Amino acid sequence: MAAWQKLAGVSGAAAVGLGAYGAHGFKPKEEIYGKIFDTANKYHLLHSLLLATAPLAKRPNVVGGLCSAGIGLFSGSCYLAAVTENRQLGKLAPAGGISLMGAWLALLL
């Protein structure tokens, strides 16, 4: 099994666990932070699937690297902003989004 698939397994399991926390345990004071957490989780889970396909790409390290960075930057900063209820901590989300777009486009290489 490729390293990217192993990382995808860990990432996907984390996304499911965080999704359960978001649905049942996370009780933000402001509703918007629940939505931010949910968005982080959706992108995290979806891109864990992309990460699992990285070994099938012509350039698996490009796809896997961009996807991993994107998950960490986008979902990670959104999770952090939501949990702390501080939007300033979500400033890396755009860089993560660009990285995720790059991962999808890298499938074209």
Side-chain angles (χ1 to χ4, degrees):
M1 179 181 300
W4 294 121
Q5 288 175 317
K6 291 178 183 178
L7 183 58
V10 171
S11 179
V16 171
L18 285 163
Y21 171 70
H24 304 291
F26 182 52
K27 307 293 184 216
K29 293 175 187 156
E30 294 183 42
E31 184 180 332
I32 188 67
Y33 292 107
K35 291 180 181 180
I36 291 169
F37 191 97
D38 187 51
T39 298
N41 189 247
K42 287 177 184 176
Y43 276 75
H44 184 179
L45 187 58
L46 173 67
H47 289 92
S48 292
L49 292 173
L50 175 60
L51 186 57
T53 68
L56 303 175
K58 289 181 185 173
R59 298 209 189 319
N61 291 334
V62 173
V63 174
L66 286 169
C67 189
S68 297
I71 291 169
L73 291 170
F74 181 83
S75 293
S77 67
C78 287
Y79 284 136
L80 187 60
V83 170
T84 62
E85 296 192 38
N86 180 353
R87 282 186 171 219
Q88 296 298 324
L89 298 176
K91 288 187 174 188
L92 292 176
I98 290 169
S99 183
L100 292 171
M101 287 187 279
W104 284 105
L105 292 171
L107 293 174
L108 299 172
L109 299 176

